[in-house]
């Protein structure tokens, strides 16, 4: 039986698992119910399974029947602190939590790939590591799993690593896209407290008002990035929070704001780490007040290996057909902690369109929206694609 036909047979079980995960989302690094669902779904498969010590991860190793190398397949498992408003019958039953980024599909799709590859293991030229990861949404789950040894789980160096990410909009359902080089941005957080001296609103000259200084800094951030960075290597700074004061006639002691900072090359990333705090402090100093600056480096740029990308695109086209696979011209604007894996192992992250059938992908609610809806039909495609990527990469690595 072909991989696609067998994946089609698994589809009802994958949908049931995905919807069970969707109804019962968990946040961050501690996902005990999700971990238990994954372990139950993997029962009976010939896998070497270990669970995380500091997080609810699952690492499963499948030993192929023929000698060869090893590849890694990643699926993240955590949800977002979002109150669901999608209207689907299997909506979240956990207040304030939702699988708004499609990680429930990633998890179910990876279980499908583990099932398919286990059934075909006699013909596998090497081993497959399945990385079921918590804490992708800003909790460094990939970094912690790397510290706990996921990249060494096979007992041999990894030849390649692959991950899929579904998209609720932009891409029609089932369409697969990726690109060589930068595929998602780096993501950092800039936190600023401008500290002045409070006073009466009628006599600002006798106080040190932090509010106009903080406003000037916010404006200067936008000007600075447009004048210091090549527009073909862009930087995005968005201030998402701004807080100051308690009453209209009181000059506050402090004004605070936080911004997300996105960049698309390591060179730009390094310049931001030094340049943004210097700019903030310089403006505050010019006004005779202080600025406390914290620059938190979160995720690096996610960089696809060119050779592995070419292989992945060719393999996807052979499996799905040339009209179903697209080489994206530009990186995606989100960030991914799979970047930490790709810093150590050549590999690829691919996007899979999951906009519901009959919905205009260009206007559908996007990932992270409380109204985001993902089409279950892509589960069998995810499982089949991950299976073929692992199987073919091992075969090529073994020279078979």
């Amino acid at each position: 039986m072909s991989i696609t036909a067998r994946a089609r047979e698994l589809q009802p079980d994958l949908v049931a698992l995905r919807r069970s995960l969707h109804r019962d989302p968990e946040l961050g690094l501690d996902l005990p119910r999700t971990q238990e669902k994954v372990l139950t779904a993997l029962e009976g498969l010939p896998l070497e399974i270990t669970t995380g010590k500091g997080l609810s991860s699952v690492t499963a190793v499948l030993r192929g029947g023929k000698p060869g190398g090893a590849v890694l397949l990643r699926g993240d498992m955590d949800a977002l602190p979002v109150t669901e408003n999608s209207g689907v019958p299997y909506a979240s039953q956990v207040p304030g939590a939702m699988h708004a980024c499609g990680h429930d599909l990633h998890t179910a799709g990876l279980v499908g790939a583990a099932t398919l590859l286990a059934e075909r293991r006699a013909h596998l030229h090497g081993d497959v590591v399945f990385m079921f990861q918590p804490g992708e949404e800003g909790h460094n789950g990939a970094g912690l799993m790397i510290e706990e040894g996921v990249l060494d789980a096979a007992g041999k160096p990894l030849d390649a690593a692959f991950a899929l990410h579904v998209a609720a909009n932009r891409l029609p359902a089932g369409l697969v896209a990726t690109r060589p080089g930068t595929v998602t941005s780096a993501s950092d957080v800039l936190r600023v407290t401008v500290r002045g001296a409070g006073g009466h609103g009628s006599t600002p000259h006798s106080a040190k008002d932090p509010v106009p200084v903080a406003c000037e800094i916010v404006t200067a951030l936008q000007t600075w990035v447009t004048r210091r960075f090549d527009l073909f290597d862009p930087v995005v700074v968005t201030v998402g929070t701004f807080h100051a004061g308690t009453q209209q006639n009181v000059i506050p002691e402090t004004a605070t704001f936080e911004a997300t900072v996105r960049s698309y090359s390591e060179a730009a990333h390094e310049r931001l780490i030094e340049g943004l705090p210097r700019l903030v402090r310089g403006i505050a100093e010019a006004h005779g007040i202080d600025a406390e600056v914290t620059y938190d480096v979160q995720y690096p740029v996610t960089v696809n290996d060119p050779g592995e990308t070419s292989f992945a695109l060719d393999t996807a086209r052979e499996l799905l057909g040339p009209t179903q696979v697209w080489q994206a011209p530009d990186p995606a604007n989100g960030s991914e902690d799979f970047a930490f894996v790709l810093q150590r192992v050549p590999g690829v992250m691919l996007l899979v369109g999951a906009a519901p059938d009959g919905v205009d992908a260009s206007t559908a609610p996007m990932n992270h929206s409380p109204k985001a809806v993902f089409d279950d039909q892509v589960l069998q495609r995810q499982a089949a694609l991950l299976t073929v990527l692992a199987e073919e990469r091992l075969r090529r690595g073994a020279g078979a």
Side-chain angles (χ1 to χ4, degrees):
M1 182 181 293
S2 71
I3 290 173
T4 52
R6 180 63 181 127
R8 196 177 304 117
E9 287 188 347
L10 291 177
Q11 175 73 0
D13 291 338
L14 300 183
V15 171
L17 174 59
R18 182 259 162 153
R19 294 189 177 191
S20 174
L21 293 167
H22 194 90
R23 281 189 290 265
D24 189 21
E26 295 177 288
L27 307 177
L29 299 169
D30 187 22
L31 318 177
R33 300 188 304 277
T34 302
Q35 183 187 59
E36 185 58 35
K37 289 181 174 71
V38 169
L39 292 172
T40 298
L42 297 176
E43 279 182 1
L45 299 180
L47 301 169
E48 301 170 9
I49 295 178
T50 57
T51 55
K53 298 179 178 65
L55 69 171
S56 300
S57 61
V58 176
T59 300
V61 180
L62 176 68
R63 301 296 181 185
K66 297 182 178 182
V71 299
L72 179 143
L73 304 177
R74 196 288 299 263
D76 40 6
M77 304 190 295
D78 56 322
L80 284 159
V82 172
T83 299
E84 184 159 1
N85 186 26
S86 67
V88 298
Y90 49 89
S92 170
Q93 298 176 1
V94 178
M98 175 190 175
H99 271 293
C101 201
H103 295 185
D104 49 340
L105 283 89
H106 302 167
T107 302
L110 188 56
V111 166
T115 304
L116 290 168
L117 285 162
E119 293 173 352
R120 304 168 67 85
R121 75 191 195 82
H123 306 290
L124 279 182
H125 293 269
D127 307 328
V128 183
V129 178
F130 302 95
M131 178 182 177
F132 292 91
Q133 179 208 312
E136 192 281 327
E137 296 289 352
H139 301 276
N140 191 33
L144 293 172
M145 286 192 72
I146 290 169
E147 289 177 13
E148 291 195 359
V150 68
L151 302 185
D152 304 311
K156 63 181 77 170
L158 292 168
D159 299 315
F162 302 99
L164 304 180
H165 203 302
V166 293
N169 69 346
R170 295 182 296 163
L171 297 177
L175 187 74
V176 173
T178 194
R179 68 189 306 274
T182 299
V183 67
T184 70
S185 69
S187 175
D188 303 326
V189 179
L190 175 70
R191 296 183 173 91
V192 176
T193 298
V194 179
R195 195 171 300 280
H200 199 288
S202 64
T203 55
H205 60 281
S206 62
K208 292 184 177 180
D209 192 346
V211 175
V213 178
C215 291
E216 183 176 331
I217 292 170
V218 169
T219 301
L221 294 176
Q222 308 306 317
T223 303
W224 186 75
V225 299
T226 64
R227 291 297 178 267
R228 296 300 299 273
F229 292 87
D230 189 333
L231 64 88
F232 295 108
D233 185 12
V235 168
V236 176
V237 179
T238 298
V239 175
T241 70
F242 192 108
H243 301 284
T246 56
Q247 186 168 303
Q248 46 82 24
N249 64 345
V250 176
I251 294 173
E253 292 280 335
T254 62
T256 63
F257 66 85
E258 295 184 357
T260 184
V261 183
R262 309 282 170 149
S263 54
Y264 297 85
S265 72
E266 192 55 40
H269 192 208
E270 291 298 322
R271 288 177 61 201
L272 287 164
I273 293 170
E274 183 275 331
L276 283 179
R278 176 168 46 81
L279 175 70
V280 171
R281 293 189 183 102
I283 293 173
E285 183 179 355
H287 288 273
I289 60 179
D290 296 325
E292 299 170 5
V293 186
T294 302
Y295 193 95
D296 291 334
V297 176
Q298 291 193 324
Y299 293 163
V301 179
T302 305
V303 182
N304 283 347
D305 178 83
E308 298 298 341
T309 303
S310 178
F311 157 76
L313 287 168
D314 289 344
T315 302
R317 290 187 184 107
E318 186 172 342
L319 175 71
L320 305 172
T323 64
Q324 296 297 296
V325 181
W326 179 50
Q327 180 165 320
D330 302 306
N333 294 332
S335 300
E336 249 294 341
D337 73 355
F338 191 60
F340 294 120
V341 175
L342 295 184
Q343 284 182 333
R344 295 162 174 80
V345 182
V348 186
M349 166 156 277
L350 304 99
L351 297 177
V352 180
D357 189 37
V359 172
D360 184 351
S362 66
T363 59
M366 67 189 304
N367 290 31
H368 290 217
S369 165
K371 296 183 178 181
V373 177
F374 302 87
D375 194 336
D376 284 330
Q377 291 305 308
V378 302
L379 288 168
Q380 57 184 302
R381 180 163 287 201
Q382 288 178 261
L385 180 54
L386 287 170
T387 298
V388 173
L389 287 171
E391 192 171 79
E392 284 299 305
R393 184 60 180 82
L394 288 172
R395 184 184 65 80
R396 293 191 183 195

